[in-house]
Amino acid sequence: LKPYLEDGSIRFIGSTTYQEYNKSIANKKALARRFGQIDVKEPSIEETIQIVNGLLPFYEKHHGVKYAKDAVQYAVEQSNALIHDRFLPDKAIDIIDEAGAYLQQSPKLDKNGNPKQARFQSVDKAIIKQILTDVCRIDAKALASESNVDLKNLDKRISQEIYGQENAIKQVVRSVMMSKAGLMEPDKPIASLLFVGPTGVGKTEVARALAESLFDSESHIIRIDMSEYMEKYSPSRLIGAPPGHVGYE
């Protein structure tokens, strides 16, 4: 490409991800300096709602359904909060598309068991929740509560199971509440906590009680036995191969 870029006979416009750019172009200085890099950032929630609303007529015509206004806002907000391996507006548009396809295949029925007329086939928040649970494997408990009322008595609920650790429990609950109050970055974990103390004082039990209080299940705990990672090379099994080793990329 370089000769054509030098004499200006052809103009190139390319689109790529940061990962591909760093891998294929950034390390070739002569090529990289002939391109002007324009960063296309992820849109905000408000901008995404406008984008999705602009696309709705196409999806309504394609699926033969209607979309409730609050369903669009709910889909954007929940996809932004719960789907972390993709970006807006892509993940929100996919939810809207999946919801329309779901209602098209499973239309709402009248009292006689027949599909209602097209104007009554409307995608609402309940269908968006169904899509997030089934397609995206989002835990139903995470969608059930739209407020932080559950946190009100969190310290009392944990204290009912753990005795003599009031100070530790207060610190744990404080970290969780700060995150839920929006004082932490939304795409980061709720909290990272290190419990230190002798065997038998309740460190593991606090973790179990916290998981059960936040998620209604202890199954959300992923337990790693650190005695299996004593050798220098063994942490690569957790975080991937280091630079220069097979499998780094």
Side-chain angles (χ1 to χ4, degrees), residues 28-53:
K28 299 177 177 66
K29 302 294 184 184
L31 182 63
R33 74 167 183 263
R34 286 176 172 81
F35 283 99
Q37 183 175 327
I38 300 171
D39 294 316
V40 181
K41 296 181 179 179
E42 183 181 21
S44 65
I45 290 177
E46 291 74 21
E47 291 169 335
T48 302
I49 291 173
Q50 291 182 359
I51 292 169
V52 173
N53 282 328

Side-chain angles (χ1 to χ4, degrees), residues 71-206:
V72 173
Q73 182 174 347
Y74 183 75
V76 173
E77 290 174 347
Q78 292 299 321
S79 63
N80 180 64
L82 300 171
I83 303 174
H84 299 300
D85 56 342
R86 297 169 64 190
F87 297 93
L88 295 174
D90 176 60
K91 56 188 178 182
I93 292 171
D94 268 5
I95 297 298
I96 291 294
D97 190 18
E98 290 282 358
Y102 174 83
L103 187 59
Q104 185 181 18
Q105 296 297 320
S106 307
K108 295 178 180 179
L109 306 176
D110 58 20
K111 294 179 180 178
N112 299 321
N114 300 315
K116 293 182 178 180
Q117 294 181 1
R119 68 176 186 272
F120 296 115
Q121 301 296 342
S122 177
V123 174
D124 52 19
K125 288 171 67 173
I127 293 177
I128 299 294
K129 284 184 180 180
Q130 183 76 26
I131 296 301
L132 287 166
T133 304
D134 293 345
V135 177
C136 302
R137 302 289 187 266
I138 302 296
D139 193 339
K141 176 66 168 60
L143 298 169
S145 177
E146 296 179 28
S147 67
N148 293 326
V149 176
D150 291 345
L151 299 176
K152 188 175 181 181
N153 299 315
L154 180 60
D155 54 343
K156 292 180 181 177
R157 293 205 305 274
I158 297 177
S159 295
Q160 287 175 353
E161 300 181 37
I162 313 295
Y163 300 101
Q165 298 293 352
E166 286 77 11
N167 186 46
I169 291 171
K170 282 181 182 177
Q171 296 292 336
V172 170
V173 173
R174 183 171 174 270
S175 297
V176 172
M177 285 187 166
M178 281 181 66
S179 179
K180 292 288 189 179
L183 299 177
M184 305 293 186
E185 293 185 49
D187 57 343
K188 297 292 175 67
I190 293 175
S192 294
L193 306 165
L194 180 63
F195 300 145
V196 182
T199 302
V201 296
K203 300 186 297 296
T204 305
E205 286 303 316
V206 171

Side-chain angles (χ1 to χ4, degrees), residues 51-70:
I51 292 169
V52 173
N53 282 328
L55 294 171
L56 279 187
F58 300 101
Y59 287 106
E60 288 179 339
K61 183 179 179 181
H62 179 69
H63 294 300
V65 299
K66 294 289 183 182
Y67 288 88
K69 186 175 288 187
D70 62 339

